[in-house]
Amino acid sequence: MESISTCNVSNKGRIGVFSVRRQQHLPLLEIRCFKEAKFGIFCFFYPSCTCVHKTGSNRSETENKNTNVEAFITFLTIAMERPKKKSSAESYQGDLYRRMDEFRRQGILSDIILVVDNEEFPAHKSVLAASSEYFLSLFTSDMKEKQNLKVKLEGFKPFVMNDLLSYIYTGQAEITDENAKELVFAGDYLLIESLKKKGTFYLEDSLSPSNCLSVRAFSEKYVCDELERKSESFILDNFVAVSKSEEFLCLGSSEIEKLISMDDLIVETEEQVYEAVISWVKHDIQKRKEDFARLLSKLRLGSMSKYYLAEYVENEELVSGNLECTKLLYKAMKSFAMFATQGKLTDDICKIRRCLDSNIKAIVTIWGPGDELRSSTQCYVPSVNQWFSLAPMLIPRFSHGAVACEGFIYTVGGVSLNGHLSSMERYDYRTNTWAGVAPMAKEVSGLGVAELNGCLYAVGGWHRGRPLNSVLRYYPSSNIWEAVAPMTATRGGPCVVSDKYLYAIGGKTENDNANDPFKYLNTVERYDPRMNTWHESMPMQVQRAYACGVAVKGILYVVGGTQDDLYSSHSSCEAFDCDTNSWTYIASLCISRALAGIAFVDGKIYVLGGKKNLRERTDKIERYDKELDVWNVVGSVPNCMGGIQCSPVSLSKAFFHSLTKIT
């Protein structure tokens, strides 16, 4: 920090002045603290300074020059003697509102009486109409109430009327546990949105295991969307405590069924959900035991301890005395006998709730170039929309290929500081480590990589400025590369995707025209590994190179790309049906891009990063919903990256919790 040449602290009547001059040639910095200001402290730190303290006509100077230690300077304002005055308009309005409210309470000049449960509350039509669209319509329409001196309000409680009318007249009301719901009801009924919001805010802050179920039901009834969302979330996050509440025991069977069926329920064990159901049934066993079999079918018995099933569930009379329940128990026990791990059967009782799933779905990203060449490896977890750091690659690279294969992620080829690469590295996402493996026979960049039948394929790309038609196959078990049949066309920057076959889609190839030596392709060819042959397939509708693609249940999705050397990029996307051999357009990206990463996770397609054009990159993540045919921006990557490579993985919870978040 810069040194100060002069610091002045003084009291001048009712004004405190603190002035600082950092250097002689800089203007004076002056902070003025008025006597009416709130109590405050201002602190400044400088390595060396000159301090001058003045008080009235007596002057004392203490100089500490070049002390080479930080000087701490504190200016303390005089304590507030009286509150800050309001403007005359604010004061007038406040006084007016309070005066009108006093008139209401005393019945002065009132011209309408509100009747609630035979109790009368005088008021003024003009004030009611000004604050409520309901009253405005009531008093200005042709309804009979327009001429009546009394209006009966149905559904209101007398004890809340003074709070309600106080808010209408002054904009202020004390909201408590006793009146909060009644005020929300009043705001909804009378169309006073500000009152309704104040009440819902109070209810949100007051959520507890003992009231959250009734608050959720209330929010549904009166269309309080945010309150409903927060109460639902509170119930799921605190299910065990909620299940011990009186409100839970009073729920209907359909409400219990809906709640225990939810994948997002947060519990430490499935046994806790079972015990909650048992408690609910036994609270009124004669009426509820007939619902037990249906409720038991909604539990994830297959994710419970087999010892708990044998010791407690099997011996529960509600289970042993019901044939349907014993069949469910048998099916759960069978899952342990047939499978080494839980949750493998497709039956609902053997599925694992998200909170109990031992693995976290993530997207491992191996960076391309951002502002500089990087070796960064990171992972994105869509379920929490959060990024985490992983171990870096051994060699920084871009324009490389990457794919998950046989429990590892491989990155191959590309460009580094020392030129083009033939090397390949393997990432173990169980141990968070990288290791070198067998390199390719030659340096290749801009290649497409995919996995098929347990082998890794490196397809096309660039070598010394020329596109390739060569295809290499790597065997992870033996760490050996071999050449297979070449493609029918050379392709630099192809999109390579595998389903039952290997598909090489688009890319950039050589052109016979000397003035335009390269051209972009919309052609597609398919590799059959059994026959070791390539065959042409139906071409895309648009020429694309450096597009990204993914296969999902027999459909190949090809996203973005470029056809003009990245002067621009595509936002359009196409889907290829492998059974019908046909292409169709799907929804376009929100942001056009080429050289992006892509991954399919939990039923959604994610596209990350990429380049809009030669000058611009994007850091946005988009997610595609196949059912709705729509893309949405859902997050961003830590850096704007083009050439990013992605692989979906399933991380253990223990490993996931050991990772460092990227903020």
Side-chain angles (χ1 to χ4, degrees), residues 188 196 213-225 227-229 231-232 235 255 258:
D188 184 74
K196 184 178 178 180
L213 290 165
S214 60
V215 170
R216 182 187 63 176
F218 177 84
S219 63
E220 290 175 353
K221 183 177 181 180
Y222 294 107
V223 197
C224 306
D225 294 336
L227 178 60
E228 181 180 356
R229 186 188 67 78
S231 58
E232 180 81 14
I235 293 166
E255 294 172 298
K258 179 182 177 182

Side-chain angles (χ1 to χ4, degrees), residues 60-80:
S60 63
E61 295 188 2
T62 305
E63 296 187 354
N64 297 294
K65 296 183 179 180
N66 299 318
T67 60
N68 293 320
V69 295
E70 291 193 346
F72 174 83
I73 305 171
T74 303
F75 176 70
L76 182 63
T77 62
I78 300 173
M80 177 177 61

Side-chain angles (χ1 to χ4, degrees), residues 345-474:
L345 291 179
T346 57
D347 300 272
D348 286 343
I349 66 165
C350 294
K351 290 181 180 177
I352 301 176
R353 297 185 196 276
R354 290 194 181 96
C355 66
L356 300 177
D357 194 340
S358 59
N359 292 321
I360 304 291
K361 301 294 177 59
I363 301 171
V364 171
T365 58
I366 302 167
W367 294 119
D371 297 327
E372 59 186 18
L373 186 65
R374 296 173 184 267
S375 59
S376 302
T377 309
Q378 298 169 344
C379 78
Y380 172 67
V381 180
S383 60
V384 294
N385 195 24
Q386 179 66 54
W387 284 89
F388 300 85
S389 293
L390 301 176
M393 289 184 288
L394 303 178
I395 302 173
R397 62 182 78 208
F398 68 91
S399 197
H400 53 292
V403 69
C405 181
E406 295 295 287
F408 297 92
I409 296 175
Y410 293 83
T411 181
V412 57
V415 180
S416 189
L417 292 171
N418 297 321
H420 290 69
L421 298 170
S422 62
S423 64
M424 182 163 72
E425 302 177 39
R426 184 182 72 183
Y427 176 68
D428 187 337
Y429 48 85
R430 293 166 293 274
T431 61
N432 194 26
T433 56
W434 284 92
V437 291
M440 297 182 292
K442 60 183 176 182
E443 301 85 0
V444 183
S445 62
L447 68 165
V449 179
E451 181 271 342
L452 181 63
N453 299 332
C455 293
L456 185 154
Y457 288 83
V459 180
W462 297 89
H463 176 66
R464 297 180 180 177
R466 301 193 68 179
L468 302 172
N469 67 349
S470 59
V471 181
L472 299 175
R473 178 164 58 201
Y474 174 77

